[in-house]
Amino acid sequence: GGLKLPKAEGGSHWKNMDRIRNAAKLRLAIQKTPLLKLRTLAIAPSSCPSLRTIHILPPQKLAATVCRFHPSGQIMVTANADGTIQVWSTTTWQILQQLKSHANWVTCLAFSPKGNLLISGSDDSFLKVWDTQTFSEQGSIPAHNSNVRCCAFSPDGKSMITGSADSMLNLKVWSTDSWQVEQELFGHTDYVRCCAYKPDGSVVVSGSDDCTFKVWHTKLWAVSRELQHRTDPGSAIMCCAFHPQGTYLVAGSVDGTIIIWDPETWAQLEFIRAHNDRVIDCTFNHLGSIFVTSSTNNITKLWSSANWRVVREIDDHSEFVMSTSFNPTGNLMVTASCDHTIRLWQ
């Protein structure tokens, strides 16, 4: 069997990540496990997009954990392991504001579709609501019993969903008017790691340490389908992202694989060994033509969604690449790392 994942209580998950990253047992389990439809894809140099580092932001005191662009592209937010959030001008790349409210790692950030709100979730179990005009704190919500792992706004901005690494193993759907819980979603048998709305708002998907994806219909908030990754406990789902047009769902796993599903039929389209260590973040650019994965092997890979081949590989970071994000026009990409740096790519 595979290596059992650490429980993410009190922020200890990230200490355990470093230990597991160097564990030969996990790598050996991955190498010996037979995979159906699994393939490793080589880089196609001729299709590599132009990519260069244009700026390295001032070193952070602790690990840089999350990065997100505002829908306008005029500001970017990043978060650190000390619970702080930085608001950056994308013109001068100077810090406009520093937000200090969380008592532990900031694990997720999300802007509302209109850009008027920023939500932050943390290992301190709280959600914070920020007004993006002033970046004043509008609310502090005890969202879960333990670590908030993921958050996502609905496409219409009327609700948002959060997932947690607490004992309830649930997701919560929140009204963005009252910030009251509208629904609690149960069904996973282990910690929830990621969640995402389909661009048309019809479904939400959630990925878990139980190695499954659940597809929730947003009208009834009932599970309409369960997608099994692998039964090996070393195959937890760490991250997920929908194509901007909703034509693909991509997920990254602890075992270093990425899985691509068709959100209409939920057929599995691809099963690819992407990294030799866990995939911890994934995202599409604004057109959906490029998909990015980052890993605890310090590598970031850019993939073509036309053929799911690697078109560029980045190894400039010296530690985990925790988060990646594209600006709204797709001409800038940012990577945030445990090496305390945030790099801007053009």
Side-chain angles (χ1 to χ4, degrees), residues 97-113:
Q97 293 201 53
Q98 183 144 283
L99 313 179
K100 299 180 180 180
S101 185
H102 287 291
N104 210 327
W105 280 61
V106 177
T107 55
C108 56
L109 295 169
F111 282 104
S112 61

Side-chain angles (χ1 to χ4, degrees), residues 62-269:
L62 293 173
T65 57
V66 196
C67 52
R68 293 291 180 265
F69 281 96
H70 186 270
S72 70
Q74 296 178 358
I75 57 173
M76 181 184 75
V77 291
T78 59
N80 292 342
D82 63 2
T84 60
I85 300 169
Q86 294 77 37
V87 183
W88 303 82
S89 163
T90 58
T91 303
T92 64
W93 297 109
Q94 298 297 309
I95 293 178
L96 301 176
Q97 293 201 53
Q98 183 144 283
L99 313 179
K100 299 180 180 180
S101 185
H102 287 291
N104 210 327
W105 280 61
V106 177
T107 55
C108 56
L109 295 169
F111 282 104
S112 61
K114 292 182 180 179
N116 59 314
L117 295 176
L118 171 69
I119 301 297
S120 56
S122 168
D123 274 354
D124 64 11
S125 80
F126 278 81
L127 285 178
K128 305 287 184 177
V129 184
W130 308 89
D131 178 345
T132 58
Q133 290 296 313
T134 61
F135 279 98
S136 58
E137 186 179 311
Q138 301 297 296
S140 181
I141 305 166
H144 292 270
N145 296 332
S146 186
N147 317 54
V148 179
R149 278 281 157 244
C150 56
C151 61
F153 275 97
S154 62
D156 62 10
K158 293 180 179 179
S159 63
M160 77 169 300
I161 192 164
T162 58
S164 175
D166 66 15
S167 58
M168 299 300 288
L169 311 178
N170 68 338
L171 296 103
K172 293 183 179 181
V173 183
W174 304 81
S175 163
T176 56
D177 287 328
S178 64
W179 293 106
Q180 297 298 308
V181 176
E182 295 181 325
Q183 297 282 341
E184 289 193 64
L185 311 181
F186 296 93
H188 284 294
T189 58
D190 211 329
Y191 296 160
V192 177
R193 295 286 179 183
C194 60
C195 56
Y197 276 89
K198 191 179 178 184
D200 65 6
S202 61
V203 300
V204 163
V205 295
S206 56
S208 167
D209 279 5
D210 64 15
C211 307
T212 68
F213 253 111
K214 295 195 183 296
V215 182
W216 310 82
H217 266 296
T218 55
K219 287 187 177 180
L220 301 175
W221 288 113
V223 176
S224 64
R225 192 175 294 263
E226 182 175 291
L227 308 175
Q228 184 74 44
H229 175 25
R230 286 164 55 190
T231 56
D232 189 306
S235 303
I237 304 293
M238 294 294 290
C239 58
C240 61
F242 276 103
H243 186 278
Q245 280 75 54
T247 50
Y248 302 112
L249 169 66
V250 182
S253 171
V254 160
D255 63 13
T257 60
I258 57 173
I259 315 99
I260 299 99
W261 284 285
D262 178 344
E264 292 299 321
T265 64
W266 297 109
Q268 180 181 291
L269 303 176

